[in-house]
Amino acid sequence: MYAERASRLTGAVVWTNTPTAPGDPGRVLPDGCMDLLWYDGRLLVAGPDTRAHVTEGAPGPWAGVRFYPGTAPALLGIPAHELRDRRVALADLWSAARVRRLTARVNAAPDPASGLEEAALSRAADTGPADPVLRRIVTALDAGRPVADTADELGIGARRLHRRSLAAFGYGPKTLARVLRLQRALALARAGTPLAETAVRSGYADQAHLTRDVRQLAGVSPGELLGRRG
């Protein structure tokens, strides 16, 4: 069972997930985010995805903090594109001693999710506020603004926007815009909006365009993803 709540860290989400049955696969969709994960007493990092990540539903609970797009690289000290489509042990990114201390702190917390949140808050306090330009990029692209217009409005140029996007989000602004569009569409569809209307309101050319994009990013059809028949 999956559950989430807003974190005290601005823009982040704290979540827990326990597979309903051993071997029950899960599907993690691209969302422009990175996560700090806890599983079986160990800490891991989930990089930004360009396609669905299918888990095998390993028995036992998972917990995580999902960071707002663009904020995790500064906290972790590594560019997002180096972790694109990857799940790695935190010990691969930080020193062994540092990871041991943090792991012990998380495992000593009342629950792993709250331990992860406290760790994220502490790290954010040490690194300072996030670059406000990154949130402006996300806001503009999530509103459906063209990439070229976004670069012009921010006054940073297309090439610089692309470089900053790679480091902050793990991929260029066009891919980020596509991922954010998918999430907009899924939010509408899950709220009961018909797929044809969802496509138009989300910025797709038509329902067929939406269906192709969902298949490419999620690996299944919209109906399969949403649990609809027919």
Side-chain angles (χ1 to χ4, degrees):
M1 183 176 68
Y2 176 84
E4 67 176 42
R5 63 171 173 82
S7 171
R8 287 178 289 143
L9 180 63
T10 302
V13 171
V14 178
W15 59 267
T16 57
N17 188 35
T18 301
T20 55
D24 186 24
R27 188 175 299 273
V28 181
L29 302 182
D31 58 8
C33 300
M34 295 173 60
D35 295 58
L36 178 62
L37 309 172
W38 175 95
Y39 173 70
D40 194 25
R42 298 179 292 118
L43 300 182
L44 306 96
V45 175
D49 293 320
T50 60
R51 58 185 180 275
H53 174 77
V54 180
T55 68
E56 294 304 320
W62 287 76
V65 174
R66 182 178 306 117
F67 299 102
Y68 186 82
T71 59
L75 301 179
L76 298 174
I78 186 169
H81 64 82
E82 294 189 16
L83 298 178
R84 183 172 54 235
D85 292 319
R86 297 176 62 197
R87 304 295 187 271
V88 302
L90 185 61
D92 291 342
L93 309 178
W94 291 0
S95 70
R98 185 180 181 188
V99 173
R100 280 197 301 270
R101 290 194 298 270
L102 182 59
T103 302
R105 178 179 172 184
V106 172
N107 287 333
D111 60 85
S114 63
L116 287 174
E117 182 180 29
E118 290 297 334
L121 286 164
S122 177
R123 182 61 182 158
D126 290 340
T127 57
D131 182 353
V133 171
L134 299 178
R135 182 175 286 269
R136 292 175 62 191
I137 293 172
V138 175
T139 299
L141 296 178
D142 195 28
R145 297 290 294 166
V147 171
D149 290 355
T150 298
D152 289 343
E153 290 167 4
L154 295 175
I156 60 177
R159 290 185 179 180
R160 188 177 174 195
L161 174 60
H162 187 81
R163 289 195 300 269
R164 295 191 69 167
S165 294
L166 285 177
F169 310 117
Y171 29 63
K174 289 185 178 180
T175 299
L176 177 60
R178 188 181 179 207
V179 166
L180 294 174
R181 182 176 62 184
L182 171 70
Q183 290 296 327
R184 292 198 304 274
L186 292 177
L188 287 170
R190 286 168 176 156
T193 305
L195 288 180
E197 182 181 347
T198 289
V200 173
R201 290 175 59 182
S202 302
Y204 292 92
D206 50 31
Q207 185 175 337
H209 183 198
L210 166 63
T211 298
R212 289 194 303 272
D213 222 42
V214 170
R215 283 191 178 278
Q216 290 171 4
L217 293 173
V220 294
S221 70
E224 291 172 298
L225 188 60
L226 298 166
R228 297 178 181 177
R229 297 182 177 180

